[in-house]
Each structure stands twice: as structure tokens, then as C-alpha cells.
Amino acid sequence: RKDLYLHLGRLKVIDYPEDWQSWFELALAEQGCGNAIESRRAFERALTLNPDEPVVILNISSLLTQTGETHHSIKLLQNFLKSNQHPEVLIELGRAYLRIGDPRTKEVTRMAVELDERCLRGHMLLAEILAREKQFQSAEACYKKVLEIC
């Protein structure tokens, strides 16, 4: 079944080479088949065609982080955030910072929660950060916020 999606995705970008969604769907199909290099190329093409789409930046960032290119992922996220403040992108940046031990993790995660106070992933990440810092009462407050939102 994965091969079928991959084949259809490749045909679709031939028919619609300027459609970012076609490239995005191909990237997901390539990723699902374990083709990281081809997936990255397709994500990059989707990003070139639509640089303001958060779903593209989130997926390419995740792929870069998974393949050990966390610093490249951080640069992409930072560049995106210069013109688009998006809570999920801030959370992804916070996770990337956490992965490399960057102290800006808490700051960007708080920014995400301030932009969207119902952002579950933001509260969960903030709780994780606070627990690592042994700020257990603050972490507990974040977990309670998650339960309230649910």
C-alpha cells in the first residue's frame, strides 16, 4: 500500500509541479517508505512553493531532527518564525533546543503557550522542562492545565 501512495505521489508532482500540496504529499509518502533523502527533497520543494505553510516547516524540521540535523532544523524554524509566529512551530523549536541543551527552550515554549493558551503540546513540553529543572510545583500546574484543556 505504501508503494501505491508513493507511485501516485510521484505521478501527481509530474502533473502538478507547482502545487506545494502535491510535493508535501509526496514527501510524506517517501518518508513512509523510509526514503529520507527523497522525502527531504520533496519537503524542500513544498517549502519553496509555499514558505508560509507551518505544516511543511514542522514536517521538514522533524525529519531533519530525526536524521541528526538538529542545527539545520533550528535554522529553518528560526527563519520561519521571523515572519510567522505560530505556536506549533515555537514548540518544535523548543524541542530542538531541548535536544541540544539550549537554554532558550523554556523561553520559546512559554511564547507558544502565550500565543495559544489551549496548546496541549506547549503545556506538556513546558511541564517536562520545569520537571527537569526540579520545579515540580510549576510542572504540576502545567500538567493540571493539560487536564483542564482535555
Side-chain angles (χ1 to χ4, degrees), residues 17-81:
E18 299 303 313
D19 177 39
W20 75 268
Q21 289 178 316
S22 297
W23 286 98
F24 178 74
E25 291 167 6
L26 175 60
L28 293 176
E30 293 282 10
Q31 190 174 20
C33 290
N35 305 330
I37 294 169
E38 291 84 0
S39 178
R40 179 179 173 169
R41 286 186 190 135
F43 278 135
E44 287 172 345
R45 180 69 179 141
L47 190 60
T48 298
L49 293 168
N50 191 355
D52 297 324
E53 180 55 53
V55 72
V56 177
I57 198 74
L58 289 167
N59 278 275
I60 193 171
S61 172
S62 177
L63 177 65
L64 289 169
T65 300
Q66 290 170 13
T67 58
E69 296 184 69
T70 304
H71 291 284
H72 187 165
S73 170
I74 288 170
K75 286 179 185 172
L76 280 176
L77 293 164
Q78 289 170 332
N79 286 336
F80 180 88
L81 289 166

Coordinates of all heavy atoms in Angstrom, one line a residue, residues 17-81:
P17 N 3.4 20.2 -11.0 CA 4.8 20.5 -10.5 C 4.9 21.8 -9.6 O 5.8 22.0 -8.9 CB 5.7 20.6 -11.7 CG 4.7 21.0 -12.8 CD 3.4 20.3 -12.4
E18 N 3.9 22.7 -9.7 CA 3.9 23.9 -9.0 C 2.9 23.9 -7.8 O 2.7 25.0 -7.2 CB 3.6 25.1 -9.9 CG 4.6 25.3 -11.0 CD 6.1 25.4 -10.5 OE1 6.3 26.2 -9.6 OE2 7.0 24.8 -11.1
D19 N 2.4 22.8 -7.5 CA 1.5 22.6 -6.4 C 2.2 22.1 -5.1 O 2.6 21.0 -5.0 CB 0.4 21.7 -6.7 CG -0.6 21.4 -5.6 OD1 -1.0 22.4 -4.9 OD2 -1.1 20.3 -5.5
W20 N 2.3 23.0 -4.1 CA 3.0 22.6 -2.9 C 2.4 21.4 -2.2 O 3.2 20.6 -1.6 CB 3.1 23.8 -1.9 CG 1.9 24.1 -1.2 CD1 0.9 25.0 -1.5 CD2 1.5 23.6 0.1 NE1 -0.1 25.0 -0.6 CE2 0.2 24.1 0.4 CE3 2.0 22.6 1.0 CZ2 -0.5 23.8 1.6 CZ3 1.4 22.3 2.1 CH2 0.1 22.9 2.4
Q21 N 1.1 21.3 -2.2 CA 0.5 20.1 -1.6 C 0.8 18.8 -2.2 O 1.0 17.8 -1.5 CB -1.0 20.3 -1.5 CG -1.5 21.4 -0.6 CD -3.0 21.6 -0.6 OE1 -3.6 21.7 -1.6 NE2 -3.5 21.8 0.6
S22 N 1.0 18.8 -3.5 CA 1.4 17.6 -4.2 C 2.8 17.2 -3.7 O 3.1 16.0 -3.5 CB 1.4 17.8 -5.7 OG 0.1 18.1 -6.2
W23 N 3.7 18.2 -3.6 CA 5.1 17.9 -3.1 C 5.1 17.4 -1.7 O 5.8 16.5 -1.3 CB 6.0 19.1 -3.4 CG 6.3 19.3 -4.8 CD1 5.7 20.1 -5.7 CD2 7.3 18.5 -5.5 NE1 6.3 19.9 -6.9 CE2 7.3 19.0 -6.8 CE3 8.3 17.5 -5.2 CZ2 8.2 18.5 -7.8 CZ3 9.1 17.0 -6.1 CH2 9.1 17.5 -7.4
F24 N 4.2 18.1 -0.9 CA 4.1 17.7 0.5 C 3.6 16.3 0.7 O 4.2 15.5 1.5 CB 3.1 18.7 1.2 CG 2.9 18.4 2.7 CD1 3.9 18.6 3.6 CD2 1.8 17.8 3.1 CE1 3.7 18.3 4.9 CE2 1.6 17.5 4.5 CZ 2.6 17.8 5.4
E25 N 2.6 15.9 -0.1 CA 2.1 14.5 0.0 C 3.1 13.5 -0.5 O 3.2 12.5 0.1 CB 0.8 14.4 -0.9 CG -0.4 15.2 -0.3 CD -1.5 15.4 -1.2 OE1 -1.5 14.8 -2.3 OE2 -2.5 16.1 -0.8
L26 N 3.9 13.9 -1.5 CA 5.0 13.0 -2.0 C 6.0 12.9 -0.9 O 6.5 11.7 -0.6 CB 5.6 13.6 -3.2 CG 6.9 12.8 -3.7 CD1 6.5 11.3 -4.0 CD2 7.5 13.5 -4.9
A27 N 6.3 14.0 -0.2 CA 7.3 13.9 0.9 C 6.9 12.9 2.0 O 7.6 12.1 2.5 CB 7.5 15.3 1.5
L28 N 5.6 13.0 2.3 CA 5.0 12.1 3.4 C 5.1 10.6 2.9 O 5.4 9.8 3.7 CB 3.6 12.5 3.7 CG 3.4 13.8 4.4 CD1 1.9 14.1 4.6 CD2 4.2 13.9 5.7
A29 N 4.8 10.4 1.6 CA 4.8 9.0 1.1 C 6.3 8.5 1.1 O 6.5 7.4 1.4 CB 4.2 9.0 -0.3
E30 N 7.2 9.4 0.6 CA 8.6 9.0 0.6 C 9.1 8.7 2.1 O 9.8 7.7 2.3 CB 9.5 10.1 0.1 CG 9.3 10.4 -1.4 CD 10.0 9.4 -2.3 OE1 10.5 8.3 -1.9 OE2 10.0 9.7 -3.6
Q31 N 8.7 9.5 3.0 CA 9.1 9.3 4.4 C 8.5 8.0 4.9 O 9.1 7.2 5.6 CB 8.6 10.5 5.3 CG 9.2 10.5 6.7 CD 8.8 11.8 7.4 OE1 7.8 12.5 7.0 NE2 9.5 12.0 8.4
G32 N 7.2 7.7 4.6 CA 6.6 6.5 5.0 C 7.2 5.2 4.4 O 7.2 4.2 5.1
C33 N 7.9 5.4 3.3 CA 8.7 4.2 2.7 C 10.1 4.2 3.2 O 10.9 3.4 2.7 CB 8.6 4.3 1.2 SG 6.9 4.0 0.6
G34 N 10.5 5.1 4.1 CA 11.8 5.1 4.6 C 12.9 5.8 3.7 O 14.1 5.6 3.9
N35 N 12.4 6.6 2.8 CA 13.3 7.3 1.8 C 13.5 8.7 2.3 O 12.9 9.7 1.8 CB 12.7 7.4 0.4 CG 12.3 6.0 -0.1 OD1 13.0 5.0 0.2 ND2 11.3 5.9 -0.9
A36 N 14.4 8.9 3.3 CA 14.6 10.2 3.9 C 15.2 11.2 3.0 O 14.7 12.4 3.0 CB 15.6 10.0 5.1
I37 N 16.1 10.8 2.1 CA 16.7 11.8 1.2 C 15.6 12.4 0.2 O 15.5 13.6 0.0 CB 17.9 11.2 0.4 CG1 19.0 11.0 1.4 CG2 18.3 12.2 -0.7 CD1 20.2 10.1 0.9
E38 N 14.8 11.4 -0.4 CA 13.8 11.8 -1.3 C 12.7 12.6 -0.6 O 12.1 13.6 -1.1 CB 13.2 10.6 -2.0 CG 14.1 10.0 -3.0 CD 15.1 9.0 -2.3 OE1 15.0 8.8 -1.1 OE2 15.9 8.4 -3.0
S39 N 12.4 12.2 0.6 CA 11.4 12.9 1.4 C 11.8 14.4 1.7 O 11.1 15.3 1.5 CB 11.2 12.2 2.7 OG 10.2 12.9 3.5
R40 N 13.1 14.5 2.1 CA 13.6 15.9 2.3 C 13.5 16.7 1.1 O 13.1 17.9 1.1 CB 15.1 15.8 2.8 CG 15.7 17.1 3.1 CD 17.1 17.0 3.6 NE 17.7 18.3 3.7 CZ 18.9 18.4 4.3 NH1 19.5 17.4 4.8 NH2 19.4 19.6 4.3
R41 N 13.9 16.2 -0.1 CA 13.9 17.0 -1.3 C 12.4 17.4 -1.6 O 12.2 18.6 -2.0 CB 14.4 16.1 -2.5 CG 15.9 16.0 -2.5 CD 16.3 15.2 -3.8 NE 17.7 14.9 -3.6 CZ 18.3 13.7 -3.9 NH1 17.5 12.8 -4.4 NH2 19.6 13.5 -3.8
A42 N 11.5 16.5 -1.4 CA 10.1 16.9 -1.7 C 9.6 17.9 -0.7 O 8.9 18.9 -1.1 CB 9.2 15.6 -1.7
F43 N 10.0 17.8 0.6 CA 9.6 18.8 1.6 C 10.2 20.2 1.2 O 9.6 21.2 1.3 CB 10.1 18.4 3.0 CG 9.2 17.5 3.7 CD1 9.7 16.4 4.4 CD2 7.8 17.7 3.8 CE1 8.9 15.5 5.1 CE2 7.0 16.8 4.5 CZ 7.5 15.7 5.1
E44 N 11.5 20.1 0.8 CA 12.1 21.4 0.4 C 11.4 22.0 -0.8 O 11.3 23.3 -0.8 CB 13.6 21.1 0.1 CG 14.4 20.9 1.4 CD 15.8 20.4 1.1 OE1 16.2 20.0 0.0 OE2 16.6 20.5 2.1
R45 N 11.0 21.2 -1.7 CA 10.3 21.8 -2.9 C 8.9 22.4 -2.4 O 8.5 23.5 -2.8 CB 10.0 20.7 -3.9 CG 9.3 21.2 -5.1 CD 10.1 22.2 -6.0 NE 9.3 22.6 -7.1 CZ 9.3 23.8 -7.6 NH1 10.1 24.7 -7.1 NH2 8.6 24.1 -8.6
A46 N 8.2 21.7 -1.5 CA 7.0 22.2 -1.0 C 7.2 23.5 -0.3 O 6.4 24.5 -0.4 CB 6.3 21.2 -0.1
L47 N 8.3 23.6 0.5 CA 8.6 24.8 1.3 C 9.0 25.9 0.3 O 8.6 27.1 0.6 CB 9.8 24.5 2.2 CG 10.1 25.6 3.2 CD1 8.9 25.8 4.2 CD2 11.3 25.1 4.1
T48 N 9.6 25.6 -0.8 CA 10.0 26.7 -1.8 C 8.7 27.2 -2.4 O 8.6 28.5 -2.6 CB 10.9 26.1 -2.9 OG1 12.1 25.7 -2.3 CG2 11.2 27.1 -3.9
L49 N 7.7 26.4 -2.7 CA 6.5 26.8 -3.3 C 5.6 27.5 -2.3 O 4.8 28.4 -2.7 CB 5.8 25.6 -3.9 CG 6.5 25.0 -5.1 CD1 5.8 23.6 -5.4 CD2 6.4 25.9 -6.3
N50 N 5.6 27.2 -1.0 CA 4.8 27.8 0.0 C 5.6 28.0 1.3 O 5.4 27.2 2.2 CB 3.5 27.0 0.2 CG 2.5 27.7 1.0 OD1 2.7 28.8 1.5 ND2 1.3 27.1 1.2
P51 N 6.4 29.0 1.4 CA 7.3 29.1 2.6 C 6.5 29.6 3.8 O 7.1 29.5 4.9 CB 8.2 30.2 2.1 CG 7.5 31.0 1.0 CD 6.6 30.0 0.4
D52 N 5.2 29.9 3.7 CA 4.5 30.3 4.9 C 3.6 29.3 5.5 O 2.8 29.5 6.4 CB 3.6 31.6 4.5 CG 4.5 32.8 4.1 OD1 5.5 32.9 4.7 OD2 4.0 33.5 3.2
E53 N 3.7 28.0 5.0 CA 2.9 26.9 5.5 C 3.5 26.2 6.7 O 4.5 25.5 6.5 CB 2.6 26.0 4.3 CG 1.7 24.8 4.7 CD 0.4 25.2 5.3 OE1 -0.3 26.0 4.7 OE2 0.1 24.7 6.4
P54 N 2.9 26.4 7.9 CA 3.5 25.7 9.1 C 3.6 24.2 9.0 O 4.6 23.7 9.5 CB 2.6 26.1 10.2 CG 1.7 27.2 9.7 CD 1.7 27.1 8.2
V55 N 2.7 23.5 8.3 CA 2.7 22.1 8.3 C 4.0 21.6 7.6 O 4.5 20.6 7.9 CB 1.4 21.5 7.7 CG1 1.3 21.7 6.2 CG2 1.3 20.0 8.0
V56 N 4.4 22.3 6.6 CA 5.6 21.9 5.8 C 6.8 22.1 6.7 O 7.7 21.2 6.8 CB 5.7 22.7 4.5 CG1 7.0 22.4 3.8 CG2 4.5 22.5 3.6
I57 N 6.9 23.3 7.3 CA 8.1 23.5 8.1 C 8.2 22.6 9.3 O 9.3 22.1 9.7 CB 8.2 25.0 8.6 CG1 9.6 25.4 9.1 CG2 7.2 25.3 9.7 CD1 10.6 25.5 8.0
L58 N 7.0 22.2 9.9 CA 7.0 21.3 11.0 C 7.5 19.9 10.6 O 8.3 19.2 11.3 CB 5.6 21.2 11.6 CG 5.2 22.4 12.4 CD1 3.7 22.3 12.7 CD2 5.9 22.6 13.7
N59 N 7.1 19.5 9.4 CA 7.5 18.1 9.0 C 8.9 18.1 8.5 O 9.6 17.1 8.8 CB 6.5 17.7 7.8 CG 5.2 17.1 8.4 OD1 5.2 16.0 8.7 ND2 4.2 18.0 8.5
I60 N 9.4 19.1 7.8 CA 10.8 19.0 7.4 C 11.7 19.1 8.6 O 12.7 18.5 8.7 CB 11.1 20.0 6.3 CG1 12.5 19.7 5.7 CG2 11.1 21.5 6.8 CD1 12.8 20.5 4.4
S61 N 11.3 19.9 9.6 CA 12.1 20.1 10.8 C 12.1 18.8 11.5 O 13.2 18.4 12.0 CB 11.4 21.2 11.7 OG 12.1 21.2 12.9
S62 N 11.0 18.1 11.6 CA 11.0 16.8 12.3 C 11.9 15.8 11.6 O 12.7 15.1 12.3 CB 9.6 16.3 12.4 OG 9.5 15.0 12.9
L63 N 11.9 15.8 10.3 CA 12.7 14.9 9.5 C 14.2 15.2 9.7 O 15.0 14.3 9.9 CB 12.4 15.0 8.0 CG 13.2 14.1 7.1 CD1 13.0 12.6 7.3 CD2 12.9 14.4 5.6
L64 N 14.5 16.5 9.7 CA 15.9 16.9 9.9 C 16.4 16.5 11.3 O 17.5 16.0 11.4 CB 16.1 18.4 9.7 CG 15.9 18.9 8.3 CD1 15.8 20.4 8.3 CD2 17.1 18.4 7.4
T65 N 15.6 16.7 12.3 CA 15.9 16.3 13.6 C 16.1 14.8 13.7 O 17.1 14.3 14.3 CB 14.9 16.8 14.6 OG1 14.8 18.2 14.6 CG2 15.2 16.4 16.1
Q66 N 15.2 14.0 13.1 CA 15.4 12.5 13.1 C 16.6 12.0 12.5 O 17.2 11.0 12.8 CB 14.1 11.9 12.5 CG 12.9 12.0 13.2 CD 11.7 11.6 12.4 OE1 11.8 11.0 11.3 NE2 10.5 11.9 12.9
T67 N 17.1 12.8 11.5 CA 18.3 12.4 10.7 C 19.6 13.0 11.3 O 20.6 13.0 10.6 CB 18.1 12.6 9.2 OG1 17.9 14.0 9.0 CG2 17.0 11.8 8.6
G68 N 19.5 13.6 12.5 CA 20.6 14.1 13.1 C 21.0 15.5 12.7 O 22.1 16.0 13.0
E69 N 20.2 16.2 12.0 CA 20.5 17.6 11.5 C 19.7 18.6 12.3 O 19.0 19.5 11.8 CB 20.2 17.7 10.0 CG 21.0 16.8 9.2 CD 20.7 17.1 7.7 OE1 21.1 18.1 7.2 OE2 20.1 16.2 7.1
T70 N 19.8 18.5 13.7 CA 19.1 19.4 14.6 C 19.4 20.8 14.4 O 18.5 21.7 14.4 CB 19.3 19.0 16.0 OG1 18.9 17.6 16.2 CG2 18.5 19.8 17.0
H71 N 20.7 21.2 14.1 CA 21.1 22.6 14.0 C 20.5 23.2 12.7 O 20.0 24.3 12.7 CB 22.6 22.7 14.0 CG 23.2 22.5 15.3 ND1 23.1 23.4 16.4 CD2 23.8 21.4 15.9 CE1 23.7 22.9 17.4 NE2 24.1 21.7 17.2
H72 N 20.4 22.4 11.6 CA 19.8 22.8 10.4 C 18.3 23.0 10.6 O 17.7 24.0 10.2 CB 20.0 21.8 9.3 CG 19.5 22.2 7.9 ND1 19.9 21.6 6.8 CD2 18.7 23.2 7.5 CE1 19.3 22.2 5.7 NE2 18.6 23.2 6.2
S73 N 17.7 22.1 11.4 CA 16.3 22.2 11.7 C 16.0 23.5 12.5 O 15.0 24.3 12.2 CB 15.8 21.0 12.6 OG 14.6 21.2 13.1
I74 N 16.9 23.8 13.4 CA 16.7 25.1 14.2 C 16.8 26.3 13.3 O 16.0 27.2 13.5 CB 17.8 25.1 15.3 CG1 17.4 24.1 16.4 CG2 17.9 26.5 15.9 CD1 18.5 23.8 17.4
K75 N 17.7 26.3 12.4 CA 17.8 27.5 11.5 C 16.6 27.6 10.7 O 16.1 28.8 10.5 CB 19.0 27.3 10.6 CG 20.3 27.5 11.3 CD 21.5 27.4 10.4 CE 22.8 27.5 11.2 NZ 24.0 27.1 10.4
L76 N 16.0 26.6 10.1 CA 14.8 26.6 9.4 C 13.6 27.2 10.2 O 12.9 28.1 9.8 CB 14.4 25.3 8.8 CG 15.1 24.8 7.6 CD1 14.6 23.4 7.2 CD2 14.8 25.7 6.4
L77 N 13.5 26.7 11.4 CA 12.4 27.1 12.3 C 12.6 28.6 12.7 O 11.6 29.4 12.7 CB 12.4 26.3 13.6 CG 12.0 24.8 13.4 CD1 12.4 24.0 14.6 CD2 10.5 24.7 13.1
Q78 N 13.8 29.0 13.0 CA 14.1 30.4 13.3 C 13.7 31.3 12.2 O 13.1 32.4 12.4 CB 15.5 30.6 13.8 CG 15.9 30.0 15.1 CD 17.4 30.0 15.4 OE1 18.2 29.9 14.4 NE2 17.7 30.0 16.6
N79 N 14.1 30.9 11.0 CA 13.8 31.7 9.8 C 12.3 31.9 9.6 O 11.8 32.9 9.2 CB 14.5 31.2 8.5 CG 16.0 31.4 8.5 OD1 16.5 32.4 9.2 ND2 16.7 30.6 7.8
F80 N 11.6 30.8 9.7 CA 10.2 30.8 9.6 C 9.5 31.7 10.6 O 8.6 32.5 10.3 CB 9.6 29.4 9.8 CG 8.1 29.3 9.6 CD1 7.5 29.1 8.4 CD2 7.3 29.4 10.7 CE1 6.2 29.0 8.2 CE2 5.9 29.4 10.6 CZ 5.3 29.2 9.3
L81 N 10.0 31.7 11.8 CA 9.4 32.5 12.9 C 9.7 34.0 12.8 O 9.0 34.8 13.4 CB 9.9 32.0 14.3 CG 9.3 30.6 14.7 CD1 10.1 30.0 15.8 CD2 7.8 30.7 15.0

